[in-house]
Amino acid sequence: MGRAVTRPVIAALDAAWESELVAAVEATAGYTVTRRCADLADLLAAAAAGHGQIALVSADLRALDRPALHELASHGVEAAGVVGPDDEPGERRLRQLGVEVVLRADLASHEIDDALDALASRTRPHGGRGEAAPDGDPAGSKTAEGPQPATVIAVWGPTGAPGRTTVALNLAAELALRAPTLLVDLDTYGASVAQLLGLLDEAPGVAAAARAADQGGLDLAALARVAPEVTPGMRVLTGLPRAQRWTELRAPSVAHVLATARHLARFVVVDCGFAIEDDEELSYDTLAPRRNAATLTALAVADELVVVGTADPVGLQRLVRAVQDLTDLADLADLPDLADLPDLPGLPARSGRPPRVVVNRVRPGAVGPRPEQRITEALGRFAGLGDLDFLPDDRATLDAAVFAGTTLAEVAPQSALRRAIAALADAYAAPLPERRRRHRSRRGVVRS
């Protein structure tokens, strides 16, 4: 006995068996094809017009990528893949794109019915839409016996160069002394990790990783290739070589890069751009890229957040406003780029802990004698912040590190600045023993 209500299906199947599969769907008990689309653009238009609840897409559909699947989801349309018999490469590509249910074109109508029912009732695990784990587990989860997934630490701060990249780089270097660490440069306004480490601008880095994520080709091996180890235990995914390439970093792709990174290292440190406002002029068009999407995505998926400000009157005022801006982002998952990436935690839910505030370049000349006490009192009064970390101003040591293209741990291991950042790292890696690192010249790193 058939069901009283059927669910509408739209299809974009670039294959010889398209007619046979549509007929099989029409013969199911619960589904009917309402639109047969000629290409991906037609499919997205049909989804936006509300013609379907499920979209059938073939592995060879031209221009099908992760942002397109995200666009379908934004219209409330679930995507199911279809491949020909024995088309293992096609099935693998669809699953790497995040398609959870993949049908064979030769399935009988009752089998298609069951598979689409499973898609409709499927409950997704925490961590994002269809994020496939590197081991092929579509849930992206690990068993209790498996390796512990990484802690993602986003390093963010307001405008005015408060030292985000310096803190992110040296925090990653300190964590790498204890466990494998990946540093990711997601600053879409002025990526500079490569320059600080003396790496080539032409290294593929995060742009290549995002492109692979778009096309369903990002796995652990692919991520490791574009994130070389620059010192023992620390890999680096360099940022955009030119700021105008920010359109390559879209929210779904960045989320997948960070999800994959969790299985490449024990700690993932993300250097974020300063801007976190949403572009209201583009909000009507969910396909339009947003320059701040990379930062907003990193803040949404991170387990921990470090907020960096400078210890001078202007920098402290910006820091107070920055903390307020974070509070105003009541739920990052409600932003247009992230609304359809299920289970992304918003800032208030981050491990139940507030952001860790780091005051950088602390010096008496900027705020008067006993600067740490004065800053603590000011931030406590105007921003309700009481638990602060302080980094002393040490321009000479930082200049030496930049000149050598290295980290503070290598150029000035006994400096007060290095010790302060090491103490910050201890807050995240205290249970882990410190490893003895053998110095190795960065000049020997193979660069793409």
Side-chain angles (χ1 to χ4, degrees), residues 66-148:
R66 191 173 297 274
L69 294 172
H70 174 61
E71 170 69 3
L72 286 173
S74 71
H75 297 302
V77 178
E78 298 278 2
V82 184
V83 296
D86 302 321
D87 184 7
E88 293 184 4
E91 179 176 358
R92 177 177 177 81
R93 177 174 184 268
L94 287 170
R95 293 196 182 280
Q96 288 178 327
L97 284 174
V99 178
E100 298 177 353
V101 172
V102 179
L103 314 175
R104 291 198 324 273
D106 58 353
L107 290 179
S109 294
H110 71 278
E111 294 174 309
I112 294 176
D113 208 348
D114 292 341
L116 295 183
D117 282 349
L119 174 64
S121 62
R122 189 182 183 100
T123 57
R124 294 180 180 79
H126 182 82
R129 174 175 298 271
E131 295 293 355
D135 58 3
D137 173 18
S141 61
K142 291 291 182 180
T143 64
E145 294 77 16
Q148 185 177 4

Side-chain angles (χ1 to χ4, degrees), residues 153-168 186-189 270-277 292 295-296 298-299 304-310 314-326 329 347 355-360:
I153 304 170
V155 180
W156 179 81
T159 187
R164 293 180 302 268
T165 302
T166 297
V167 172
L186 281 182
D187 189 345
T188 55
Y189 290 85
V270 184
D271 180 19
C272 301
F274 67 90
I276 57 174
E277 68 273 9
N292 304 334
T295 292
L296 291 170
L299 294 178
E304 304 287 349
L305 173 59
V306 176
V307 180
V308 182
T310 48
V314 174
L316 292 174
Q317 183 184 52
R318 287 172 174 169
L319 179 59
V320 170
R321 291 176 177 173
V323 173
Q324 181 60 48
D325 289 342
L326 292 178
L329 289 177
L347 275 174
R356 180 177 292 272
V357 177
V358 174
V359 182
N360 192 26

Side-chain angles (χ1 to χ4, degrees), residues 126 302-303 330-331 344-353:
H126 182 82
D303 304 298
D331 191 351
L344 285 183
L347 275 174
R350 177 176 291 104
S351 304
R353 292 188 295 273

Side-chain angles (χ1 to χ4, degrees), residues 355-374:
R356 180 177 292 272
V357 177
V358 174
V359 182
N360 192 26
R361 301 172 190 157
V362 177
R363 59 201 186 278
V367 295
R370 300 188 303 277
E372 295 185 1
Q373 179 181 339
R374 287 172 174 263

Side-chain angles (χ1 to χ4, degrees), residues 214-437:
D214 279 348
Q215 301 302 321
L218 185 68
D219 54 18
L220 278 180
L223 183 59
R225 282 195 296 271
V226 296
E229 190 177 61
V230 297
T231 61
M234 186 173 79
R235 292 180 175 272
V236 174
L237 193 61
T238 55
L240 297 173
R242 293 178 177 80
Q244 57 264 39
R245 293 178 59 182
W246 61 266
T247 55
E248 299 178 32
L249 302 184
R250 300 196 179 202
S253 304
V254 171
H256 187 63
V257 169
L258 295 179
T260 305
R262 288 181 181 271
H263 303 275
L264 184 63
R266 176 63 182 85
F267 294 100
V268 178
V269 180
V270 184
D271 180 19
C272 301
F274 67 90
I276 57 174
E277 68 273 9
D278 185 45
D279 191 340
E280 295 181 358
E281 293 183 358
L282 295 178
S283 295
Y284 72 93
D285 185 357
T286 55
L287 270 181
R290 292 173 175 81
R291 188 163 192 172
N292 304 334
T295 292
L296 291 170
T297 302
L299 294 178
V301 305
D303 304 298
E304 304 287 349
L305 173 59
V306 176
V307 180
V308 182
T310 48
D312 58 61
V314 174
L316 292 174
Q317 183 184 52
R318 287 172 174 169
L319 179 59
V320 170
R321 291 176 177 173
V323 173
Q324 181 60 48
D325 289 342
L326 292 178
T327 304
D328 291 342
L329 289 177
D331 191 351
L332 287 172
D334 287 338
L335 294 172
D337 277 312
L338 307 178
D340 299 292
L341 296 175
D343 301 321
L344 285 183
L347 275 174
R350 177 176 291 104
S351 304
R353 292 188 295 273
R356 180 177 292 272
V357 177
V358 174
V359 182
N360 192 26
R361 301 172 190 157
V362 177
R363 59 201 186 278
V367 295
R370 300 188 303 277
E372 295 185 1
Q373 179 181 339
R374 287 172 174 263
I375 292 169
T376 299
E377 293 173 352
L379 293 184
R381 182 183 309 118
F382 296 109
L385 301 174
D387 188 11
L388 308 174
D389 292 274
F390 296 95
L391 303 181
D393 188 30
D394 192 347
R395 187 71 262 173
T397 298
L398 286 174
D399 286 345
V402 174
F403 182 77
T406 188
T407 64
L408 294 172
E410 293 180 329
V411 75
Q414 301 303 318
S415 66
L417 179 57
R418 188 262 169 161
R419 292 198 303 270
I421 296 179
L424 178 63
D426 286 340
Y428 302 112
L432 301 176
E434 184 167 351
R435 300 182 294 116
R436 293 183 63 85
R437 175 189 288 180

